[in-house]
Amino acid sequence: TVGDVEMPIVILGDPAYPLMPWLMKPYTGALDSEKELFNYRLSKCRMVVECAFGRLKGRWRSLLTRSDLSKTNIPIVIAACCVLHNLCESKGEMFMAGWEVE
């Protein structure tokens, strides 16, 4: 909820995706200043998400390749990676290019 407005949960996408009710993507074509500002803010949000996924994949290199796990287990493994990654981040454990450093 933002103010008094109930906001839906959406996925942030780029212009290549088709517009769907659950997808927020930038405006295209000739834009007024409001739409340009929306695109700018959406881009900033997407950069945060992309950086977070980059850090997650940097720590758990197995997420970079195709998985042979069952479709049932993939969400569990990804959630576990997210939880473990957040624990590592909260403890200040750093990493560089997939290699852990103290």
Side-chain angles (χ1 to χ4, degrees), residues 20-72:
M20 304 297 280
W22 45 264
L23 178 70
M24 188 177 291
K25 60 184 245 175
Y27 290 101
T28 57
L31 306 178
D32 59 25
S33 59
E34 275 188 31
K35 289 179 180 176
E36 283 191 20
L37 181 59
F38 173 86
N39 283 358
Y40 172 77
R41 289 178 175 161
L42 183 65
S43 174
K44 297 280 280 188
C45 291
R46 286 189 60 230
M47 289 188 326
V48 170
V49 171
E50 288 174 16
C51 181
F53 275 109
R55 292 180 63 81
L56 181 70
K57 292 187 292 187
R59 189 177 303 276
W60 308 112
R61 308 292 286 171
S62 63
L63 297 176
L64 293 172
T65 60
R66 185 174 189 271
S67 174
D68 290 330
L69 294 170
S70 71
K71 290 181 182 179
T72 304

